[in-house]
Structure formats: structure tokens, C-alpha cells
Amino acid sequence: MGLRKYIINRLLMVPVTLFIASIFIFGIVRLIPGDPVLALFAEDAFFGGAEARKMIMQMREEIGLNRPIYVQYADWVSHIARGDFGDSFMFRRPAVEVLEDRIVPSFLIMIMGLIFGVLLGIPAGIASAVRRNTWLDYLVRLIVVAGLSMPAFVTAAVVMVFLIWTFGWLPPAMFVPFHVDPIESLKTLILPALIVGYGLAAALARVCRTQFLEVIREDYIRTAWAKGLRERAVVFRHALRNSLLPVVTLLGVNVAQLIAGAVVVETMFNIPGLGQGLVTVVLNRDYAVIQLFVIAIVILVLVINLVVDLLYSWIDPRVRFE
């Protein structure tokens, strides 16, 4: 199958994937304990008497929560098809506007974390493999084990405690939006991005080291050494490209972990991104925003997986799409 036909088939599968995902998202969101209207008017429900209960019933009817769940789902899908993603109960704004306000910090953290992970993980894995059983190899493996063992929130807590005790540093109380001051915004995001990227770098370094050790045992690598080629030429011209396929695969899989890490890190560093916003809307059962956030994450993962598949053919021309 040609590359163009493969891309077309993948794009045709996107609506089907989103439809299936939408069913799971809609159902799981409705399983969240509690009622969104009661979450907004808890005090009125308990202390406002009959008038408050009447107001709650009217709001439930306006939102459509008193209808059968399959009718609610059909109504939600039909509105999405028209470009209407609903309104936020909590923010009293369209859900798309809530997403737009929070997507930039999260996107920057994920992109910076991805860059840090690739720039740190792949060279570390190569160096560990080339200098096998030396102090450098042991140091890299120690750092990798620590990165794979600690979740993002533990790493963030350790880093924050270290910086507070050592330098008296505290996270900024207010986040500076990127459009207001790009430099200050990036300064605020560097540390969270490093924390998110550390876990990715550890995973990439481990896989890169293992794959690189296998490649350098191949006959063509031994032939390159026997010809007297320099180490740099053997490593980067012959061995590196042939060991990257598993690394690229892992990179695509770990996008979801980058998003999960961003959820925790944004909350700890008080960054108003998708992660912190998702925590807030889940606690308040803001159905429209939760569904839109998760759909956006699903689309992001689909795009990343398509890019990873396309990278296969660039890294190894022998790859054929079926």
C-alpha cells in the first residue's frame, strides 16, 4: 500500500475512532458521582427551601439532565456536528472558550517536555551503550531507573522541596499568559516541562540503549569498525538510524503520559492549563467542558500516532504500510 493511500485510510478511520471514543467519554463522564447542578447550588439545595429546589429542577430541565441518557448523547453528538460543544455550567461560557484559554500553557509544556525528553534521553541512551560498563553507563542507568520509578508528582514534589530548602524559591503565585509576556511565560514553564520531560527521557534512554546494543553487534557495524571508520561515523551514520524505530514507537505511546504528567505538574505549579482545568471541571462535574477536553486529547493522540507512523518511512525506507 502506498503512503498516500495509507494516509487517506487513516484519516477515514478518524471519525469512526472519535465516534467510539465519544460513547466511552459520554458514558464515563455520566458515571462521575454527584450532580452538576447540586454542585453549583449545594447551599441553596440544603438551606434555600422549596424555592431553591424549584430553581434546581428548572436548571436540570434547561440543561437536559432529566432526559434519558441516550437522548442526551444524541443531542450532544448532533450539536458537535454543527460545531456547538455546549456551554460550561461552572464558567458560564462556551466550552470552546474555556479550552482556548487553557490549551496554550499545556501545549507549551508538552512540546517543551517532548523536546527535553528527546534531547536528553536519546543522547544519554547512546552514550550509555557506547560506553557500556563504565562509570558513565552506570550513572545513566541510575538516573533512568529513578526517572522510571518516580511518578511526575513525586518528581515535582522532590524538586520543589529541594529548591525551597536550598534557594528559598517558591513557584510564582500568578501565571503570566504567553500573549502578555512570552519570555516570562516560558520561564515559568521551563521547570514543569523539565519534570514532565524527565520521565520521557528516562524511557527513551532505556529503549535507545537496549536497541543500540543490539544494532552495534550486527555484521555491518563490525565491518564498519574493521574498515577503520571513526567512532562518530559508525555511531551516527550507521547505527543510530537503524536503532530509532523502537524509540519513535515509544515516543508516540508516551504522548499520553506527557498529558498525564502535565495534569499533575500544572496543578502543583498553579499553571492554568488543560491539566489544572480538567481537575477543576471534574470536581464540579462540568460535563460539557470535560467531554471537550477529553475529545481534544484523543484528537491529539491520533495526530501524534499518525506522525509517528509517517516517521517510520523516513527513518527506514524498507517499511511498507499495509
Side-chain angles (χ1 to χ4, degrees), residues 4 49 83 131 176 183 189 196 206 209 221 306 320-321:
R4 181 179 299 178
R131 299 289 184 265
V176 180
I183 302 300
L189 296 175
V196 172
R206 183 186 63 173
R209 179 184 184 275
I221 298 295
L306 177 59
R320 293 292 179 266
F321 296 99

Side-chain angles (χ1 to χ4, degrees), residues 122 204 207-208 211 243-252:
I122 294 179
L204 291 178
V207 173
C208 187
Q211 187 65 20
S243 61
L244 281 182
L245 279 182
V247 177
V248 172
T249 303
L250 181 68
L251 198 59

Side-chain angles (χ1 to χ4, degrees), residues 84-152:
D84 179 12
F85 293 92
D87 296 327
S88 167
F89 307 152
M90 179 181 176
F91 297 100
R92 304 292 184 178
R93 299 167 57 196
V96 174
E97 293 184 4
V98 179
L99 177 68
E100 290 175 349
D101 291 343
R102 294 180 174 270
I103 196 171
V104 174
S106 296
F107 182 76
L108 290 174
I109 288 177
M110 285 185 283
I111 292 298
M112 293 167 65
L114 184 65
I115 293 172
F116 290 146
V118 171
L119 293 181
L120 297 175
I122 294 179
I126 295 173
S128 179
V130 173
R131 299 289 184 265
R132 185 183 181 187
N133 295 329
T134 64
W135 67 269
L136 180 61
D137 181 27
Y138 294 133
L139 177 62
V140 170
R141 289 162 65 182
L142 177 63
I143 296 174
V144 165
V145 170
L148 294 174
S149 303
M150 294 191 300

